[in-house]
Amino acid sequence: MERTMSVEEKIRRAEEIYARRKEGNQRKTATVTINKKENKKDIKLFKKMIIQILISLSIYLVIYIIQNNNYIFSEDFLKKTNETRAANGVAPVTLDYDLSIVATMRTFELTYGNTLSHTRPDGQRFYTILKEYGFKAGYLNGTKHYGENMAYWQNTDASAYTALISSSGHKQNILDTRWKKMGVGTFTFYGRRYWIQLFTT
């Protein structure tokens, strides 16, 4: 003989079933939330790893280009720069290899960014690339820690330097007594050559 459940028992049974289902759903929701957080964390780590790889490859590419091609004419520019400084009673600057790499990367920005400007393709000022590579850039106690000269569409290093020294603003940069280090890079793109000369304290 089947036992007939009272109304109270039916209500209690229904509440128990609802409570079990609710607990199960909460567990599923918690598991999904944890999985989502872990997936987001994995995606962030993956993106960070890709960015680091791309940066490393870019640096290695620049170094390879510099070592295997005549993209940097540092000695010639260094010699002419220090001759100009000496003639004006200013102490010489030393060539900084790392700064020359940064200068070369700036010439790349001029070409693929299609902009002949001290502003980078992403809209930032040129000195932000110095910060990215650990050089002092900006103002500290009213003192400027960077300088950039740009020459383009010249045929030789000599003509590029002549163009710079013929400009009052560029010449002022070359003769600035605050500069201690110099880097220079040049790159040819579709038959046009671009030069960047960077200075730091």
Side-chain angles (χ1 to χ4, degrees):
M1 180 177 179
E2 294 184 0
R3 178 176 176 274
T4 303
M5 296 178 64
S6 65
V7 175
E8 291 79 5
E9 287 178 323
K10 289 180 180 180
I11 293 174
R12 187 171 63 253
R13 180 64 60 86
E15 289 176 344
E16 289 174 355
I17 294 172
Y18 174 77
R20 284 199 297 269
R21 288 182 177 178
K22 183 178 181 181
E23 182 181 357
N25 289 335
Q26 287 176 341
R27 288 178 179 176
K28 288 181 181 179
T29 302
T31 301
V32 171
T33 302
I34 292 172
N35 289 336
K36 285 183 177 179
K37 288 182 178 179
E38 290 178 349
N39 289 337
K40 286 183 179 180
K41 185 177 180 181
D42 291 340
I43 291 172
K44 286 182 179 180
L45 289 174
F46 180 73
K47 287 182 178 179
K48 186 176 181 180
M49 181 181 69
I50 293 299
I51 292 173
Q52 290 175 340
I53 291 174
L54 290 175
I55 291 174
S56 298
L57 288 175
S58 298
I59 293 173
Y60 284 127
L61 176 62
V62 172
I63 293 174
Y64 175 83
I65 291 174
I66 291 172
Q67 291 177 340
N68 293 275
N69 297 277
N70 292 324
Y71 282 108
I72 281 188
F73 304 86
S74 304
E75 296 298 333
D76 190 29
F77 257 74
L78 179 66
K79 180 181 178 181
K80 292 181 180 299
T81 296
N82 282 334
E83 285 177 351
T84 302
R85 288 171 71 92
N88 289 271
V90 182
V93 291
T94 58
L95 179 65
D96 189 289
Y97 185 76
D98 292 334
L99 196 57
S100 292
I101 292 177
V102 178
T104 302
M105 296 189 75
R106 277 287 294 132
T107 64
F108 294 169
E109 291 186 345
L110 296 182
T111 55
Y112 76 71
N114 194 29
T115 173
L116 301 177
S117 170
H118 295 294
T119 299
R120 303 175 68 188
D122 62 2
Q124 298 186 86
R125 293 291 289 166
F126 77 89
Y127 54 77
T128 57
I129 196 172
L130 294 171
K131 292 181 179 180
E132 291 171 9
Y133 286 88
F135 290 93
K136 291 181 179 180
Y139 285 85
L140 180 63
N141 297 326
T143 302
K144 190 168 69 169
H145 287 280
Y146 59 84
E148 180 182 72
N149 281 344
M150 179 192 308
Y152 46 86
W153 302 353
Q154 300 295 325
N155 295 320
T156 64
D157 307 320
S159 61
Y161 186 81
T162 299
L164 291 177
I165 206 67
S166 299
S167 164
S168 59
H170 293 102
K171 184 176 181 179
Q172 183 179 356
N173 237 352
I174 290 173
L175 295 177
D176 198 311
T177 58
R178 291 170 294 183
W179 308 144
K180 307 299 180 184
K181 299 176 182 178
M182 185 197 81
V184 59
T186 184
F187 184 67
T188 302
F189 186 73
Y190 282 100
R192 292 179 173 178
R193 289 178 63 184
Y194 302 80
W195 283 262
I196 287 290
Q197 188 180 31
L198 291 175
F199 298 97
T200 63
T201 55

